[in-house]
Amino acid sequence: MKTAHEIRPGNVIMLDGSPWVVQKTETTRSGRNAAIVKLKLKNVLLDSGTEQTFKGEDKLDDIILERLDCTYSYFADPMYVFMDEEYNQYDVEADNLGDAADYIIDGMEDVCQVTFYESKAISVELPVHIVREVIYTEPSARGDTSGKVMKPATITGGGTVTVADFVKVGDKIEIDTRTGEFKKRV
Amino acid sequence: MNNVFTPDNNGVVKHWDIFCTVVDNYGDIGVTWRLAKQLVNEYDIPINLWVDDLLSFSHILPKLDASKKQQSFNSVNIFHWNNPLEIQFNAGNAIIEAFACELPSQVKAIIERLHLQPHTQAPTWLNLEYLSAEAWVDGCHGLPSTQPNGVKKWFYFPGFSPKTGGLICERELFNQRDQWQADPRHKLALFQQLGLQGINAQDTVISVFSYETRALTALCELWQTSQTPIHALIPKGRSLHSLIDLLPCTIDDLIPGQQFTLGNLTLHILPMTDQNGFDRLLWSCDFNIVRGEDSFLRAQWAAKPFIWHIYPQEDDYHLVKLQAFMQIYCDNLAPEIATTWSEVNLAFNQENLSAVVMHWQQLNSVSLPLMQHAIKWPINALNDADLASRLVQFVNNS
């Protein structure tokens, strides 16, 4: 069991007797700091989707399926192709990657975990922390010092991350793939 | 002990149960008590309200006997919720866990049993969440939350947009408010009834129901130098902790009705009042300083300008919530008015003393359009349907 707060894209959870791949997680704060976690889910067996909301401390039944360390090879629309140490290739539907797709880039060396259900590759879990380059962000808004000043930045691969104001184009930043949060400049 | 409503197999009585834990203050119980009364009065739904702290509840319902396990007011059954439950629980049509409180294990077991039992209808299980104006609420309202045993709970988010669960507002509230505000004798009679002396019809009257903040101290010091009389009405509680230096005695020694004159400011110690009395107080003041969730909403329904002292959260997250509300509140407001009102709210919540004083002084120049906006706002905020009516519809459709 994991708390809803610990669930991340790529996990597979059991709901109502069916396995569901977690495609996207959104954590927000309700009153008195209580966390609300919204999950976008895809049913592994039926290919149908749903969205559900949980309290951060709710326990969810995550199922341990066979996993293999793999690296990303190439994209063959609509499949992402991953390869293990023995050069076996596994196709994962783009839809099943959910938000993780934002961090997939050609030539990436991050070791990912491909999850299998009944011998079929169904999802990919990225490392908790990855490093990506900022390819576009607005210049620093100097003088605006009230609170933590943040701004959007586009990273290699096309995803958007909210970064600290001091981050510039060309900087490499560390991102927490569980939350999509900027952690630090590398 | 049995609870009052026992549904039979043909559904003769289809009651709802609302569970509320009182974490602090009167916000949680304030909201659930209003909701319970409205569901009974306007929808004829029998309601059991389970509350873990009857003593706190009794501050806003003075007739409540905190030592009783079961009693009834306004046709709402009020039960003392202790763990494990001493009162037998019978499920009805809906179970509401208010503000993410954890249902008793006996109740969860009954929901599970009804879910698994063929040919029975498990109650609709709802988590009634906190009010927020943030955009993410639209996407989370009404979503299921499937528990490991397969039972579905539904997340119900109050809010300001049509995609949310709406805002608590009784059907006749605005009519009652308009009738009250149409005659200035009503407010003077109320002040007299509350034991507040020396308030004239043309004086500026400000109600204060904030948390502790030095911003309030700064405003009181400013109000002392006002050209015209200002009356600040403050109940014994957290606001007064910020004003200790202005008081001639300790807070414990204060008596409701007592007043202190400081220059042109008079501080009045308010007696605690029930919810209807609190509403009338907000309708009667020129400006209201409110906090949390329940008084925040009632200040909006009062159609008067206000400062919202929002419940502080870690990492100043409450400021994000404040900004989200200010943005929608100011949507149809001229930029200079929106800026002034927003700045005074922000400065108050950030305890920025010089800024709160400066922006309060600027409020004078925008007081008329701000007042006009406060009158129009409640209609916009309701979006054609209040929380109770949307909730009833939600339960009927689920």
Side-chain angles (χ1 to χ4, degrees), chain B residues 9 64 71 97 107 171 180 190 205 212 223 234 242 288 321 335 355 361 363 373:
Chain B
N9 291 335
L64 189 80
Q71 51 208 303
E97 54 178 45
V107 175
R171 200 177 287 154
W180 179 272
L190 175 72
V205 185
E212 302 84 351
W223 295 340
I234 312 178
S242 315
N288 295 304
K321 291 176 180 292
Q361 289 168 311
L363 276 179
H373 180 68

Side-chain angles (χ1 to χ4, degrees), chain B residues 96-158:
Chain B
I96 296 174
E97 54 178 45
F99 308 115
C101 70
E102 194 70 27
L103 288 184
S105 53
Q106 297 113 298
V107 175
K108 286 199 273 194
I110 289 170
I111 297 172
E112 182 175 2
R113 181 168 53 77
L114 291 170
H115 172 73
L116 296 172
Q117 209 167 288
H119 313 301
T120 57
Q121 173 90 37
T124 304
W125 179 10
L126 297 143
N127 171 29
L128 174 65
E129 267 293 339
Y130 294 92
L131 171 62
S132 175
E134 293 166 286
W136 63 264
V137 170
D138 281 4
C140 286
H141 170 63
L143 288 186
S145 179
T146 308
Q147 305 298 295
N149 57 14
V151 174
K152 275 195 175 67
K153 177 164 72 174
W154 302 89
F155 269 65
Y156 195 94
F157 283 90

Side-chain angles (χ1 to χ4, degrees), chain A residues 29-30 32-33 52-53 55, chain B residues 129-130 145-146 313-314:
Chain A
R29 281 201 234 177
S30 183
R32 294 202 186 89
N33 305 318
Q52 303 236 350
T53 296
K55 294 180 195 172
Chain B
E129 267 293 339
Y130 294 92
S145 179
T146 308
Q313 290 189 259
E314 283 172 12

